Amino acid sequence: MSNKAARNLFIFGSLFFFVIFLGMTYDTLGNLDKRAPEITDEVDAGKHVWHKYDCIGCHTIFGNGSYFAPELAKITEKKPKGYLKKFLMDPKAVNPAAAMPKFGITADEADKLLAFLDWSSKVDTNGWPPKPILAVAAGVAGQELSAGEKVYRAHGCSDCHIISGIGGTSGPDLTHVGAKRDRAWLIGHFKDPDDYVKDSAMPKVEAPEADIEKLADYMLTLK
Amino acid sequence: MTIKHESQKIAEYFYTFAVVLFLVQVLVGIIAAVQFIWPDFFILKFNIIRSLHINAMVVWLLVGFMGATYYVVPEESETDLWGLPLAKLQFWATAGTVTAVVLGYIWMGLNPQANSPIMGINPLNEGREYIEAPRWADILIVISVLTFIFVNFMTMMKTKKWTGIQGTLLGGLTFLALMYLPGLFYTKSMVKDQFWWWWVVHLWVEGAWEIIAGALLAFMLMKVVGARREVVEKWMYIEVGFVMFTGILGTGHHYYWIGTPGYWLWVGGIFSSLEPLPLLFMVWDAFRTTRSARNVTNRAGLFYTVAHAIFNFVGAGLWGVIHTLPQVNKWTHGTQITTAHGHLAFYGAYVLLVLSMIYITLPAIRGVKEFNASRAYQAFWWMTISMVFIVLTITGAGMVQTYMERLMGLDYVTVKATYNLWFWILRVIFGVGFLYGVWIFVVDFFKLGREPMPAVSAVPGEA
Ligand code: HEM
Ligand SMILES: [Fe+2]
């Protein structure tokens, strides 16, 4: 091949692929709005707050960003808004071990951020993040769960609490909670955490009385 | 070796600024690594430290490319630079802008509210990874890059010697400037935001910058081993051609999970899997040319050049391809695996590239025939071995994270704070090793050609 031919291959080949890329870009942009909910003014305002505090400097969203803190695109599916709002405004007040700093996010800004994160949770991401296969497999294998354990799972308590090493770190570790609290405290706290712990960020447990009792029984086995 | 044209000396301004920022990048990198273990370690929090870390890197590499280009273009055009005062102005304006941006990040770190929008625009930090620089700085950067390209273009126009190397170099730089533009506007949709963001980030490192690397590699092989222009340029075209054929549509490997249509899984998977091939060509090219060489004039320079080719392939090619298929990326996306790849790719492809150019052109700029290369080798081994271990450490952390968080469903914070703790500790240790290597390099940069040669030359047999 002559030098000139090689040069032409480079120039025209690159242009060829770039044109295809532009065509696909055009098609993609036409499709995006169908794959995501409408962007309201509040969602847009939330995105501005997101940029203002440089959340991407620690977090990922849709898996892109920094790897210092958890992925946030689907956080509002996992944790209730009341809790998230309190956390955003003052992380260490909710979880003394939190590594996220207090930035001075106002209540209004927190609402906007949550509207934005609600929007991101509804974007069609081709199934990402995938369900953890080993956890799913373990569920299928199905150990015998006690009645209380079932309620604990159904209410997603483990998103915020750890029992024996498994679960989230937003709330206190419950591995030995049975040694610390009694039945009345637990039941009362489930119904209205605020009555027992000032400014609690734990959501009320919205469940029938019977389930709440089973849950309390289960907690008492954790010693 | 001495320079042929006085104006080539301007390269040293850029190199000096690049080298200082390199040191800053690595210092703040170590702070960031410590914060993984101890988040409250420093008054500036992780996001600010990380912005400084990655912005210092991007800027020093760009500034290094600029220095290299100001050296290469007069040499290739066989004439002095057109508009040297303009080039100097461009240098000082760039240095001033970068300093202002850095001060802005620090201010925001001390007072987050200082970044509150003024007329809808965040004055200190745009809050977008890699392109955090605020809008006013973006505009100044664009002006700086355009001035830079203009000066080089006018220099070429003086003699109209359209060599392949300088043509390709300028082509790569123009593509680089153009691909900065998609990052300059606000979109309401986070999906579109990331879509255009990847144009900047991916089409830079896997497009424009690789073209620049290909052109500089050809230049260095010619200078250092006296390879024939016809041969070197032909392979250069083929290499950068394949970089573009695979890399442009390879952008799709970032469009799997951000809300874009499913066909990108196919396009991105197939084309990005081919991206390592041109990088492998470059390694082969470097070895072939070196073997046929008779008169090596600058062994340290050659050493860095070949190392650049190898680590470009390992870091970008191999560490990139392992997680580029959608079937794999589904599990590893957004984990420490990405960090591991990012580190080795930037180090291998671009850090070593700029350092090679410095070792090849600085002796000529300083007017020395021969220099003691022992510090150059020492710096290389300290940096490279430390970087390889940093990358292995983070790869380990990424594998643990992928397994425990993504496959088993454990909580992010639990995995980070407990199971990966040792990896973070090791990373700090290797980071300090890297810093030591950089320090040796910085000392070498300032001393090269300015101290008497020792009685026994470290490069025996050299004239
Ligand atoms: C010199 C060239 C390259 C550099 C400097 C580089 C650098 C990077 C960086 C910094 C990221 C992370 C971006 C972020 O923070 O979100 C990244 C992501 C990625 N790179 Fe590269 N890269 C290069 C070449 C390649 C090649 C050749 C491939 C594939 C063969 C590749 C595959 C990937 C993939 C799949 C991701 C996304 C990882 C994820 O899912 O989070 N890269 N690259
Ligand atoms: Fe990429």
Side-chain angles (χ1 to χ4, degrees):
Chain A
M1 190 172 9
S2 73
N3 265 23
K4 202 164 166 218
R7 191 189 65 199
N8 287 341
L9 179 74
F10 162 49
I11 295 175
F12 293 106
S14 304
L15 282 175
F16 172 76
F17 283 103
F18 207 82
V19 169
I20 298 184
F21 186 57
L22 283 177
M24 293 184 66
T25 297
Y26 180 77
D27 182 75
T28 297
L29 290 176
N31 270 306
L32 292 184
D33 291 338
K34 282 176 244 157
R35 301 172 58 91
E38 197 200 330
I39 299 171
T40 61
D41 286 346
E42 185 156 40
V43 171
D44 182 40
K47 185 167 181 281
H48 278 286
V49 182
W50 171 270
H51 290 307
K52 170 183 165 190
Y53 291 104
D54 187 31
C55 309
I56 201 107
C58 290
H59 290 276
T60 55
I61 181 160
F62 302 131
N64 294 317
S66 311
Y67 315 98
F68 185 77
E71 160 70 27
L72 292 181
K74 302 221 185 287
I75 189 79
T76 60
E77 280 179 2
K78 277 198 1 206
K79 309 239 161 126
K81 294 229 178 90
Y83 159 80
L84 289 172
K85 184 170 176 182
K86 285 200 173 109
F87 182 86
L88 287 173
M89 291 170 65
D90 192 351
K92 286 199 172 60
V94 170
N95 171 3
M100 176 155 146
K102 181 175 178 180
F103 294 114
I105 296 176
T106 63
D108 177 52
E109 284 178 325
D111 286 335
K112 288 173 176 159
L113 273 171
L114 291 173
F116 166 66
L117 291 171
D118 225 13
W119 176 87
S120 69
S121 75
K122 298 197 185 79
V123 171
D124 177 355
T125 53
N126 295 326
W128 192 87
K131 289 230 160 37
I133 36 175
L134 296 181
V136 174
V140 173
Q143 329 93 302
E144 272 311 312
L145 295 181
S146 72
E149 278 174 295
K150 282 188 190 142
V151 181
Y152 185 83
R153 288 203 174 186
H155 284 265
C157 310
S158 73
D159 286 342
C160 293
H161 293 288
I162 290 186
I163 294 180
S164 307
I166 300 191
T169 50
S170 314
D173 189 325
L174 299 181
T175 313
H176 303 294
V177 71
K180 184 175 159 198
R181 306 289 186 197
D182 61 29
R183 201 159 188 277
W185 190 94
L186 287 167
I187 291 180
H189 178 258
F190 289 155
K191 289 185 181 158
D192 195 350
D194 258 345
D195 278 357
Y196 288 75
V197 177
K198 195 174 158 292
D199 267 341
S200 171
M202 159 136 166
K204 285 183 193 166
V205 184
E206 311 279 359
E209 188 69 28
D211 281 356
I212 291 201
E213 285 181 13
K214 286 179 200 155
L215 207 49
D217 290 337
Y218 170 49
M219 295 285 117
L220 290 170
T221 66
L222 300 171
K223 287 187 174 152
Chain B
M1 241 193 349
T2 45
I3 44 168
K4 301 195 183 74
H5 309 284
E6 193 59 22
S7 52
Q8 285 175 298
K9 283 192 175 160
I10 179 117
E12 191 175 344
Y13 287 56
F14 288 85
Y15 291 160
T16 309
F17 189 44
V19 167
V20 170
L21 282 178
F22 184 23
L23 192 61
V24 171
Q25 180 207 350
V26 177
L27 278 171
V28 292
I30 290 176
I31 299 179
V34 174
Q35 288 180 331
F36 259 76
I37 305 163
W38 184 11
D40 292 328
F41 166 65
F42 196 69
I43 29 169
L44 299 175
K45 294 296 168 261
F46 181 83
N47 59 326
I48 301 295
I49 294 294
R50 187 181 191 268
S51 302
L52 290 170
H53 180 61
I54 61 181
N55 282 263
M57 175 191 71
V58 172
V59 170
W60 86 256
L61 293 174
L62 282 174
V63 168
F65 292 162
M66 287 179 181
T69 307
Y70 278 135
Y71 184 92
V72 171
V73 168
E75 184 117 345
E76 292 278 295
S77 288
E78 297 176 20
T79 177
D80 257 310
L81 213 53
W82 180 92
L84 185 62
L86 192 56
K88 284 197 177 149
L89 177 72
Q90 186 245 332
F91 171 77
W92 289 110
T94 310
T97 307
V98 172
T99 312
V101 172
V102 167
L103 292 177
Y105 292 165
I106 295 175
W107 186 16
M108 168 177 172
L110 300 174
N111 173 17
Q113 298 304 332
N115 197 35
S116 300
I118 298 173
M119 293 188 301
I121 287 183
N122 297 123
L124 303 179
N125 184 323
E126 230 171 70
R128 296 171 78 203
E129 196 194 1
Y130 291 104
I131 47 176
E132 284 95 345
R135 193 56 38 86
W136 57 266
D138 287 337
I139 294 167
L140 292 175
I141 292 166
V142 170
I143 295 175
S144 156
V145 172
L146 290 181
T147 313
F148 156 76
I149 290 177
F150 180 67
V151 169
N152 286 295
F153 180 73
M154 292 307 283
T155 309
M156 292 184 194
M157 287 301 283
K158 271 167 74 178
T159 57
K160 302 209 172 66
K161 289 199 184 346
W162 301 111
T163 71
I165 289 180
Q166 60 174 348
T168 308
L169 185 58
L170 214 70
L173 289 163
T174 309
F175 186 39
L176 181 158
L178 284 176
M179 286 306 110
Y180 195 58
L181 307 180
L184 290 184
F185 54 88
Y186 178 81
T187 43
K188 284 186 175 187
S189 158
M190 195 64 192
V191 176
K192 291 180 189 161
D193 187 314
Q194 295 203 351
F195 185 88
W196 292 116
W197 181 82
W198 279 117
W199 275 49
V200 185
V201 176
H202 172 99
L203 290 176
W204 267 19
V205 299
E206 287 161 69
W209 292 32
E210 286 287 0
I211 297 182
I212 296 168
L216 292 179
L217 178 65
F219 177 81
M220 295 191 292
L221 289 176
M222 244 173 57
K223 286 292 137 184
V224 183
V225 295
R228 272 180 48 227
R229 181 183 287 277
E230 293 76 25
V231 182
V232 178
E233 288 192 342
K234 184 163 88 191
W235 282 106
M236 171 190 73
Y237 285 131
I238 295 176
E239 286 152 9
V240 297
F242 274 89
V243 164
M244 296 298 272
F245 305 163
T246 57
I248 294 174
L249 291 178
T251 316
H253 64 185
H254 304 294
Y255 295 160
Y256 299 155
W257 325 116
I258 64 168
T260 33
Y263 52 71
W264 287 107
L265 273 68
W266 285 96
V267 178
I270 292 171
F271 281 88
S272 69
S273 297
L274 298 172
E275 281 184 52
L277 289 181
L279 309 183
L280 193 58
F281 283 170
M282 292 188 190
V283 179
W284 172 78
D285 194 9
F287 272 104
R288 182 183 48 88
T289 318
T290 309
R291 250 203 315 274
S292 62
R294 257 141 299 168
N295 51 339
V296 179
T297 48
N298 177 339
R299 276 183 193 280
L302 176 63
F303 185 85
Y304 270 82
T305 309
V306 174
H308 148 72
I310 296 174
F311 280 97
N312 187 8
F313 170 66
V314 176
L318 290 185
W319 248 256
V321 87
I322 48 170
H323 59 151
T324 205
L325 284 177
Q327 292 84 340
V328 177
N329 192 261
K330 185 173 191 176
W331 302 100
T332 60
H333 179 50
T335 65
Q336 296 293 329
I337 297 283
T338 312
T339 322
H341 155 67
H343 278 80
L344 201 56
F346 266 118
Y347 177 70
Y350 303 121
V351 172
L352 286 177
L353 176 67
V354 173
L355 299 194
S356 317
M357 275 304 291
I358 291 181
Y359 274 119
I360 287 173
T361 60
L362 194 65
I365 293 174
R366 299 243 171 103
V368 286
K369 259 214 171 96
E370 192 184 350
F371 62 100
N372 180 348
S374 61
R375 266 196 305 257
Y377 294 118
Q378 253 180 46
F380 175 82
W381 289 115
W382 272 99
M383 286 191 293
T384 304
I385 294 176
S386 307
M387 181 50 79
V388 165
F389 276 101
I390 289 174
V391 167
L392 290 177
T393 313
I394 322 175
T395 306
M399 284 162 65
V400 168
Q401 186 188 3
T402 303
Y403 189 80
M404 302 196 93
E405 186 195 339
R406 296 293 165 75
L407 269 66
M408 286 174 65
L410 290 190
D411 181 68
Y412 171 94
V413 176
T414 314
V415 176
K416 177 183 165 206
T418 53
Y419 302 102
N420 269 337
L421 187 57
W422 268 107
F423 287 120
W424 308 144
I425 296 172
L426 290 172
R427 171 166 66 178
V428 174
I429 295 171
F430 296 126
V432 173
F434 193 86
L435 176 66
Y436 183 61
V438 176
W439 180 249
I440 299 175
F441 167 72
V442 173
V443 170
D444 200 29
F445 176 84
F446 286 105
K447 287 199 170 166
L448 195 149
R450 288 174 175 159
E451 53 189 356
M453 281 293 288
V456 185
S457 167
V459 271
E462 281 301 308

